[in-house]
Amino acid sequence: MSERTSNRIFDTVIILFISLFVVFCLAPFLHTIAISLSSNRAITSGEVTIFPKEFNWDAYVKVFSDHSMLYSLGYTTLLTIVTTVLCMVFTIAAAYPLTKKKMKGRKLFMYVIIITMFFSGGIIPEYLLIRDLHLLNSPWALILPGLVSPFNLIILISFFNGIPESLEESAEIDGSSHLHTLLKIILPLSMPVMATLALFYAVGRWNGFQDSLMYINDPKLYPLQLKLFQMVQNNMVSELTQMEGANRAPLTPESLKAATVIFATVPILLVYPWLQKYFVSGAMLGAVKG
Amino acid sequence: MTAYLKRYWQLYALISLPLIYFVVFRYGPMYGVQIAFKDFNLFQGINGSEWIGFDAFREVFGMRDFYTTLRNTFMLNFLDLIVSFPAPIILAIMLYEIRFKWFQKISQTILYIPHFISWVIIGGIVYQLFGNQSGMVNGVLESMGLNPIPFLTEKNPWLVTYLFTGVWQSAGWGTILYLAALTGVNKELFEAAEIDGATRLKKIWHITLPSIKPTIVTLLILNLGHMVSIGFDRPYIIGNTAVREYSDVLSTFVYRVGLESGQYTLATVVGLFQAVVGLIFVLGSNYISKKTTGEGIL
């Protein structure tokens, strides 16, 4: 066998394997989309795989005519935007001073922050704190406890450190204040890493579940994930009772549930391609320094 | 002094905001940890409750459920390590070997997607795929004349489902670190090997793998350091009462005992145990990492 043919075989095997993995990543979504677009009859008889059977939009019409669902979508979007903006402001406010080696107390501040990466009070003391601050059943309970992620902070600090110091020095000679330098020189140079961190914070909030389960009891304030969980959970429970031979619990139609899952996934998939080129370099930066 | 302050006050003003955040929301709960040593009563608050020493610790260490959840935490993390750890390494090497840049880019984009999907949604999808009655996989099995498999309601099949979803969610994203390490490889090494007549496999074995070895070792050690810490969402959402014996882990146990049954003291003890043992594991693995690879996280 010549070298060229063996190389060809090698390439083919690799491409086949990667393609298989790509399908493995996509198939669950395709199946869920197919379910969301199929009739309940076709679903319950198990005819739906990755193509819709007896195509219809009914589930989506229902999701979009359900006011509580649209409300939850709007509320979660607003929550995500507010969280992301505040997190970015706080993370930048922490990162910039921590790059100034001449500032007294820098090391101490750094320790104060890093320690929290390795030790925490645990969820019960956190719950009691939120309760004592009267934040239960308030969206602030979902925003304030996560304002700065030390991991993201370290990524930002190492990025700031990579910006040539001469730029800042010349600005300083021109009489620029620290705040002015940060806003006019540092931030404009840091857009890729900003986009990365904003994506991490936004996805974290959008997907956040445990905190809303703990802190929010009012169905009006349920973020999308919690609302979704209760739909899925109902099905899990009915699945179990069927196993035990009990009566069939009332099921939400499968297609409706699938449509809701897709409904909650689409916003992430929409912003994702725009930010991909940034977050890959951002994640690498974290890898090198982290 | 005034000159110093005049020059630096803006920096202190900037950092004061995040510092207040850390003191209130990160150190505040640490202060609350003392209720592990108190007979905590919601109405008397943290300071009003009575000290009971290590009584609550004795009670927790006498609970059978505690050991089950501890065992499960180790078991799930350990199995995850065996199954999920090598996947991104293999994927990254293969992605690196692909010569068609466009194919490489497209597949990478798709492989990262599952990382951005919440466990609630993954739970919903898993149910659609693996449910006993309506799941697609069992539908296919039945149409082939095979018996359905109780993926979600029996212990061992559940374990496989749990591990499988972990690979699905994290394998693609995990390649980023290895691909980052591979960008630093000196291309001349490959050229030299080619002149020496090395095959592709030989090049992978002698050049590619050794060049990501430090990354592999560091990540392996980091993973070992996180053996007692386990996220809440995945076992809570994929788990259910039928497989509680396997799916109940320290984080879900704390939630159940503390917030569902209101036994705050006992749950805080478990949380504290987890934090302290976790810290020992992280420091220990960091120490080993520094000894063996010269690199650590601290």
Side-chain angles (χ1 to χ4, degrees), chain A:
Chain A
M1 191 164 58
S2 79
E3 207 185 305
R4 269 189 66 183
T5 30
S6 85
N7 257 339
R8 259 218 200 120
I9 293 170
F10 198 85
D11 284 336
T12 317
V13 169
I14 284 178
I15 285 178
L16 275 178
F17 185 88
I18 294 287
S19 306
L20 212 71
F21 218 90
V22 165
V23 171
F24 173 65
C25 283
L26 282 182
F29 291 113
L30 294 179
H31 173 66
T32 308
I33 292 171
I35 289 278
S36 70
L37 292 170
S38 298
S39 75
N40 273 315
R41 193 208 61 76
I43 298 163
T44 41
S45 62
E47 290 168 28
V48 183
T49 50
I50 59 168
F51 299 107
K53 268 264 166 74
E54 293 168 25
F55 186 90
N56 70 70
W57 289 103
D58 295 356
Y60 287 95
V61 172
K62 250 196 188 137
V63 169
F64 280 98
S65 60
D66 178 348
H67 285 290
S68 78
M69 211 42 124
L70 285 182
Y71 176 82
S72 191
L73 178 75
Y75 166 69
T76 311
T77 308
L78 183 67
L79 185 69
T80 303
I81 293 170
V82 172
T83 306
T84 308
V85 170
L86 285 178
C87 285
M88 289 309 290
V89 169
F90 271 68
T91 309
I92 293 166
Y96 183 66
L98 291 174
T99 58
K100 294 283 165 277
K101 304 216 165 37
K102 281 184 189 151
M103 189 177 81
K104 284 171 191 155
R106 186 182 71 102
K107 277 228 161 115
L108 173 74
F109 299 153
M110 205 67 199
Y111 278 121
V112 166
I113 292 167
I114 297 292
I115 285 171
T116 65
M117 281 177 89
F118 300 101
F119 193 82
S120 76
I123 66 159
I124 302 297
E126 278 167 26
Y127 173 83
L128 294 173
L129 175 74
I130 296 299
R131 184 183 158 273
D132 291 344
L133 294 172
H134 302 287
L135 291 176
L136 289 182
N137 267 325
S138 149
W140 293 107
L142 307 180
I143 297 172
L144 298 177
L147 278 179
V148 182
S149 137
F151 180 77
N152 289 354
L153 179 63
I154 289 172
I155 293 182
L156 195 56
I157 289 174
S158 62
F159 188 89
F160 283 171
N161 276 333
I163 296 173
E165 242 172 277
S166 53
L167 268 175
E168 291 178 59
E169 276 163 13
S170 60
E172 213 171 309
I173 290 164
D174 291 343
S176 165
S177 69
H178 285 296
L179 208 57
H180 191 261
T181 311
L182 172 63
L183 293 176
K184 295 288 167 191
I185 297 172
I186 305 293
L187 289 189
L189 288 172
S190 314
M191 288 334 272
V193 74
M194 295 292 158
T196 310
L197 298 191
L199 177 77
F200 286 170
Y201 280 126
V203 169
R205 181 62 271 154
W206 183 267
N207 285 342
F209 166 69
Q210 189 187 8
D211 51 356
S212 49
L213 183 70
M214 279 163 49
Y215 301 140
I216 309 292
N217 288 317
D218 179 358
K220 266 188 88 86
L221 293 173
Y222 277 2
L224 208 51
Q225 305 293 340
L226 188 54
K227 227 173 135 57
L228 204 63
F229 173 73
Q230 302 206 314
M231 287 179 78
V232 176
Q233 181 78 346
N234 280 340
N235 273 326
M236 291 284 268
V237 171
S238 61
E239 176 96 348
L240 292 176
T241 49
Q242 278 168 40
M243 285 286 294
E244 286 148 15
N247 280 338
R248 202 187 169 101
L251 275 174
T252 8
E254 291 299 303
S255 57
L256 185 61
K257 192 156 62 67
T260 319
V261 164
I262 297 301
F263 177 77
T265 313
V266 162
I268 292 231
L269 295 185
L270 284 181
V271 293
Y272 172 85
W274 304 102
L275 290 166
Q276 198 213 349
K277 61 175 178 194
Y278 296 131
F279 74 65
V280 170
S281 56
M284 283 181 179
L285 199 67
V288 176
K289 298 284 176 183

